[in-house]
Amino acid sequence: MKQMHYGTALVTGASSGLGRGLALWLARRGTRVFAAARRQEHLDALAQEARAAGATLEPVKMDVAQADATVERIRQLDADCGGLDLVVANAGVGGATPGKQFPWEFTKQMIDINVTGAVATLGAVLPQMVERGRGHLVGISSLAAFRGLPTRAAYSASKIFLSSFMESLRVDLRGSGVRVTCIYPGWVKSEITAKNTFPMPFLMETEEAVERMGNAILRGEPVYAFPWQMTRFMKLLHALPNPLFDALMSRRR
């Protein structure tokens, strides 16, 4: 499959983890990358690393939880650069939201970032992309979207929402010239997973995960899930009858 090239790209959640890696990966391939996140000092360090590699990466301080401000900022970037070719909604948070001690404040924060923030990011310049007849929207979901996991009600639900949102967009935008990709990573080393105290099967190095994601985006894959071992396992869980799934997950919890 022929790989695409992008003149401009926006990547959110670029101060660490997959977002940081993907922003640098794209910049090193000649894309002018707008790297967006809340932590300015992390973005400045990323821009310096990109410059050392002869790449163009511009820091953009942005909090996607502030949805209206996010839409306004992205529209301004789109106008200033002559049109964004690629928008990657990567910013997200994870963590436990157990039903018996349901933490409302954390749940709201997760929804504001993972759901509302992602939609604001992807939808900000979608009409402009359709008008131009080109563009690529990428949403970073999770294998946790394949089934509601114990103690992860808010996280699984937020990723299920994003997956369904991307699927509907993919159907709606067929023939418009605007591509849609949904990516489902498994366990990847990051600031988020470093806090986990439970086993993480097939935990992947960030660099390998970024390479896989970047190539899937350039190929224009509509859906890409990895690693294959965890993907197969989650698909099996998805196919289980509810009583069997509930019993299995209760023991896992």
Side-chain angles (χ1 to χ4, degrees):
M1 185 181 296
K2 182 180 178 180
Q3 289 196 340
M4 294 173 286
H5 174 76
Y6 303 98
T8 55
L10 167 71
V11 180
T12 64
S15 61
S16 65
L18 291 175
R20 186 185 194 280
L22 187 58
L24 191 58
W25 190 91
L26 289 166
R28 284 172 170 166
R29 282 155 181 78
T31 300
R32 179 187 179 188
V33 176
F34 297 96
R38 292 174 299 149
R39 297 178 291 183
Q40 184 69 53
E41 66 278 10
H42 288 67
L43 293 177
D44 291 341
L46 176 60
Q48 185 175 355
E49 184 176 347
R51 282 195 298 272
T56 303
L57 188 147
E58 301 179 31
V60 178
K61 188 173 182 179
M62 181 189 300
D63 181 359
V64 300
Q66 306 299 319
D68 290 339
T70 294
V71 170
E72 183 178 351
R73 185 74 175 96
I74 295 174
R75 287 177 177 171
Q76 187 62 56
L77 288 173
D78 187 74
D80 291 346
C81 75
L84 290 166
D85 298 321
L86 172 67
V87 173
V88 181
N90 168 77
V93 295
T97 52
K100 291 181 180 178
Q101 304 91 26
F102 193 68
W104 163 244
E105 292 79 7
F106 182 47
T107 298
K108 182 181 183 301
Q109 178 192 23
M110 199 178 303
I111 293 170
D112 287 343
I113 296 172
N114 295 9
V115 176
T116 310
V119 173
T121 300
L122 294 164
V125 294
L126 178 52
Q128 290 88 331
M129 285 184 170
V130 172
E131 185 176 349
R132 293 191 289 261
R134 60 179 174 82
H136 193 168
L137 300 176
V138 178
I140 308 302
S141 182
S142 167
L143 289 180
F146 282 41
R147 196 97 200 217
L149 300 178
T151 76
R152 293 297 189 274
Y155 183 74
S156 285
S158 71
K159 295 305 184 179
I160 290 168
F161 174 93
L162 181 58
S163 301
S164 181
F165 181 73
M166 300 305 290
E167 186 170 56
S168 292
L169 284 185
R170 188 180 74 239
V171 174
D172 286 346
L173 296 172
R174 187 175 182 182
S176 69
V178 180
R179 293 175 179 261
V180 176
T181 295
C182 190
I183 297 179
Y184 299 82
W187 296 116
V188 177
K189 289 184 178 180
S190 68
E191 287 184 9
I192 294 177
T193 57
K195 300 174 184 177
N196 293 340
T197 57
F198 49 82
M200 293 178 283
F202 307 105
L203 180 67
M204 187 173 293
E205 295 291 338
T206 305
E207 293 76 12
E208 182 182 354
V210 166
E211 186 75 22
R212 293 191 184 198
M213 291 167 56
N215 283 314
I217 291 170
L218 295 188
R219 291 194 303 268
E221 300 275 4
V223 175
Y224 182 67
F226 69 97
W228 69 266
Q229 299 94 329
M230 279 303 297
T231 300
R232 184 171 294 180
F233 176 71
M234 292 307 295
K235 286 182 177 179
L236 176 62
L237 284 186
H238 183 75
L240 287 180
N242 287 338
L244 185 55
F245 173 79
D246 293 354
L248 179 64
M249 289 296 104
S250 293
R251 288 197 296 270
R252 171 68 177 173
R253 181 190 63 201

